[in-house]
Amino acid sequence: MCVATFVLIGDAEAVPDPWGGHSIDDPYSTSQIVLVSTVSDQGYTGEYYENRAYTCGRSGYQTFLIVYSDGLPLTTERPLWVRMHGGGVGAFNELGEYVPIEFLGANNQESITKLTNLMGEGGLVAKVLGHSAGFRFLLPSLCDHDVYSGVGIPDLNNPNSPDENGQTRAADGLLATKAAIAFTYNRVATSHVFLHGTSAGSIGSFGVAYSFEREGVLLSGIVSDSHVMGRGINDNADLFCMPFPYDRALLLPKIGPLASSELYPEDIVSTGLISVPIYHLWNTGDPACCGSAVQNYTDDLGNPYTEPGCAHEHGPYRDAIAADPPGGAGRSVSVEVCVNDVGNTTPGACNLHSPSKYPYTRADPPGDQLDGGGDYNQAIVDWVDQRLAEPLPGTTTTTIPPTTTTTTLPISLCGDVPIVGCKGSPAGASQLKIKLKASNPSKSRLKFSYKRGDATQITEFSDPVNGSADYRLCIWDDSANPQPRVEAAVLPGGTCASKPCWKAIGSTGFRFKDNSGTPDGIQQVKLKGDGTAGRTRVQVKATGANFSAPSLPLTTTVTAQFVVDDGSVSCWEVPFAVASKNDAKQFKATGP
């Protein structure tokens, strides 16, 4: 197949189809992409964009982050790694209620902090970041909660319409992601393009690559980790064996063709309709695909049979890749692994969801038990190296808007599990309060108070007035929802309303105030530590349009940490095992 270059598509007329005039072949728009800020740290620059042609499911615009090394001209060709993250999937019902309600917050605009955190992952991203090929990165948002697959079908159940453009809100993740890739390809000289999707992003990576190929654009490879939108996932949804509700009746009209039986990936592969090389990774005991427990199914002829849940989701896709590998023999593989989550020592548990990624704040997971403990992420890199040795696609050039602002690039501090070894506080000394305002999300509020804590020197807070440390509030709960439930950054230095954002409080602490809540909604912080046990205090307040409140109720134990990283990490933690209030509107707890 001939490899085409990306063309920035304007306002071409869509061809009518069974989905109300929408299809995966619809044109995508780059004409309303706006550069919001330019950020830099540790020899890398990140450009944070909004695409104002596409809005999120609840508030804000689709966003993306381009990250590149400062030491190389953008006119020098380098491969591009597109990191498509997970986060589940959901939709509004006819009553305007989100299903599952735990994921409602996934429909808000994704901040620069959230996207930047993906650059701090361990696993595959860390290996690609250190690769000698000098990869650049693109991190697109998932704020329609549509597995990157929506084609712009108006969501008549969505109570948050009209959107920022005065239109009925629509899931348009496929269009926004293709636009981000095309824009980036033209922004920085690019050779190969790889899509790396985990969980929901795994589903999206296939759909995006297939849609591009239908218009003559052939990507260099897909790394899909943990999910396939095929027959198996639908069967498992009907069995309710996954850790989250999956209502096909709601998702089909929201997402459209890529959620339908017309475009099952196993059928697309087996009929030779995709030639992009695929590396399909799946963990045999992943709870997200119903694990290794045997489930009861019925075949097309009505005959009952049994097989493990994950084998049922991934098996047809695996078999199609083996029989008709996209791109030709040896270029596509389906790799079954058995990787235990950290802390699980049971042989054969194989329960780590999305094993190609994990936060840098925790230990590496054990290796693949099916390969004698082998490094399965290195196997992916070896496959990528083979693709890099293949012919390059062409390039095009376009004009880019000028830089607007410069700030400090936050790094990932909140992993999917809390940091171990943080300072604590005595029983009953600390509080966490969260109040949701569904009718006006900008009025939602959070207050975290850590009091009478372990001895802390003021130097452990670093120097937020003049320094460059990273500050973060992280909150996790014990639900199956994507973690953390809250991650909010506070930037060091800066000017807020013509005054310094931070100021010292004598010789024992610091105070922060920013009524704009840039970037993630935190408006006030107080830090106090004089080296005496029982006199340490951390207080954080968040609200406003930039604050993305978690959906409630939370599942106890809820763990809150305030984290400081200036090259070494310091943190202050409170676990809240019991809540005095915990419903859809309010969470209130005293701990530990």
Side-chain angles (χ1 to χ4, degrees):
M1 175 179 176
C2 179
V3 179
T5 59
F6 291 104
V7 178
L8 300 186
I9 299 177
D11 299 319
E13 182 178 355
V15 178
D17 65 72
W19 299 97
H22 298 274
S23 81
I24 67 170
D25 301 320
D26 283 356
Y28 49 86
S29 175
T30 61
S31 62
Q32 296 185 56
I33 291 176
V34 176
L35 180 60
V36 178
S37 63
T38 300
V39 298
S40 59
D41 187 61
Q42 300 180 26
Y44 287 88
T45 292
E47 297 178 350
Y48 177 64
Y49 292 90
E50 292 177 351
N51 189 338
R52 295 179 181 173
Y54 304 114
T55 59
C56 302
R58 191 181 181 196
S59 65
Y61 297 100
Q62 293 275 7
T63 56
F64 59 93
L65 183 71
I66 304 173
V67 178
Y68 50 82
S69 171
D70 293 337
L72 192 70
L74 299 185
T75 53
T76 302
E77 276 194 353
R78 286 294 183 267
L80 180 67
W81 193 263
V82 183
R83 177 68 178 92
M84 301 170 67
H85 68 78
V89 64
F92 290 97
N93 62 23
E94 63 278 3
L95 299 177
E97 302 166 334
Y98 203 71
V99 181
I101 187 61
E102 296 88 346
F103 288 165
L104 177 60
N107 291 276
N108 297 325
Q109 178 169 324
E110 294 188 11
S111 69
I112 188 172
T113 302
K114 180 171 184 176
L115 296 178
T116 302
N117 285 346
L118 299 173
M119 292 298 299
E121 288 180 350
L124 186 55
V125 166
K127 289 180 180 293
V128 174
L129 187 61
H131 196 284
S132 61
F135 276 88
R136 299 182 178 114
F137 288 79
L138 169 64
L139 306 110
S141 66
L142 180 60
C143 69
D144 271 325
H145 208 215
D146 62 350
V147 293
Y148 294 96
S149 299
V151 294
I153 302 171
D155 186 356
L156 302 182
N157 289 337
N158 192 326
N160 300 295
S161 292
D163 65 9
E164 287 73 6
N165 297 326
Q167 305 297 317
T168 302
R169 290 197 184 270
D172 40 36
L174 176 71
L175 305 178
T177 304
K178 291 178 66 179
I181 294 171
F183 181 89
T184 305
Y185 189 90
N186 287 272
R187 171 71 179 106
V188 297
T190 301
S191 56
H192 303 78
V193 178
F194 293 89
L195 306 185
H196 171 206
T198 55
S199 197
S202 178
I203 293 172
S205 64
F206 182 90
V208 169
Y210 175 58
S211 179
F212 266 133
E213 183 162 347
R214 286 167 63 111
E215 67 181 58
V217 176
L218 185 63
L219 306 186
S220 298
I222 306 166
V223 178
S224 58
D225 170 7
S226 294
H227 271 312
V228 182
M229 186 73 89
R231 291 176 177 82
I233 196 171
N234 289 328
D235 290 343
N236 285 344
D238 292 342
L239 293 176
F240 300 101
C241 57
M242 296 187 289
F244 51 86
Y246 181 99
D247 192 328
R248 286 193 288 156
L250 296 178
L251 292 173
L252 189 59
K254 172 183 174 176
I255 296 175
L258 287 170
S260 74
S261 59
E262 301 171 8
L263 295 176
Y264 282 149
E266 57 262 38
D267 294 341
I268 293 171
V269 170
S270 64
T271 53
L273 295 178
I274 186 169
S275 53
V276 179
I278 297 170
Y279 196 106
H280 169 224
L281 181 74
W282 59 289
N283 205 7
T284 58
D286 184 350
C289 54
C290 300
S292 56
V294 173
Q295 308 289 340
N296 296 307
Y297 302 100
T298 303
D299 65 20
D300 293 338
L301 299 177
N303 300 313
Y305 68 100
T306 61
E307 68 176 335
C310 286
H312 187 73
E313 175 177 331
H314 294 278
Y317 191 47
R318 170 200 61 200
D319 295 344
I321 290 173
D324 298 285
R331 300 186 70 216
S332 290
V333 293
S334 176
V335 179
E336 174 185 359
V337 297
C338 176
V339 182
N340 283 14
D341 202 349
V342 171
N344 190 319
T345 58
T346 303
C350 319
N351 64 326
L352 178 60
H353 181 54
S354 300
S356 69
K357 64 98 176 178
Y358 43 88
Y360 87 104
T361 52
R362 75 177 192 188
D364 289 358
D368 177 15
Q369 296 174 47
L370 301 181
D371 186 34
D375 186 345
Y376 53 90
N377 280 316
Q378 184 58 48
I380 299 174
V381 174
D382 294 343
W383 177 86
V384 169
D385 285 340
Q386 294 172 11
R387 307 287 76 76
L388 288 172
E390 296 171 349
L392 310 178
T395 61
T396 61
T397 307
T398 190
T399 302
I400 302 302
T403 298
T404 57
T405 62
T406 301
T407 57
T408 301
L409 178 66
I411 63 171
S412 174
L413 294 181
C414 305
D416 58 5
V417 294
I419 298 172
V420 176
C422 296
K423 294 179 183 290
S425 65
S430 303
Q431 286 189 328
L432 176 63
K433 299 178 181 179
I434 302 173
K435 291 186 177 181
L436 294 188
K437 293 288 185 181
S439 60
N440 189 352
S442 67
K443 298 295 184 182
S444 296
R445 295 179 176 274
L446 177 150
K447 181 179 179 180
F448 170 57
S449 296
Y450 170 100
K451 298 179 180 178
R452 306 204 307 270
D454 293 347
T456 298
Q457 300 289 341
I458 188 173
T459 53
E460 295 180 70
F461 296 128
S462 192
D463 181 4
V465 179
N466 303 300
S468 59
D470 291 281
Y471 298 84
R472 197 84 85 248
L473 176 67
C474 315
I475 298 176
W476 300 261
D477 72 356
D478 279 352
S479 70
N481 295 320
Q483 303 291 333
R485 301 301 305 280
V486 173
E487 177 164 9
V490 189
L491 301 178
T495 301
C496 300
S498 75
K499 297 180 180 180
C501 301
W502 287 92
K503 68 177 183 178
I505 306 173
S507 60
T508 61
F510 301 95
R511 183 191 305 270
F512 170 87
K513 185 175 181 180
D514 175 17
N515 290 336
S516 71
T518 301
D520 296 322
I522 293 180
Q523 296 189 359
Q524 295 183 40
V525 177
K526 294 180 182 179
L527 306 174
K528 183 178 180 181
D530 63 2
T532 304
R535 296 175 61 174
T536 301
R537 183 171 182 176
V538 175
Q539 181 173 298
V540 180
K541 295 182 179 180
T543 189
N546 292 324
F547 175 51
S548 182
S551 57
L552 299 180
L554 301 177
T555 302
T556 52
T557 297
V558 174
T559 301
Q561 291 183 351
F562 186 77
V563 184
V564 178
D565 187 348
D566 61 357
S568 61
V569 174
S570 300
C571 52
W572 295 261
E573 173 185 283
V574 183
F576 298 95
V578 178
S580 57
K581 293 184 179 180
N582 191 13
D583 54 33
K585 296 182 179 180
Q586 184 174 187
F587 176 88
K588 182 177 180 180
T590 299

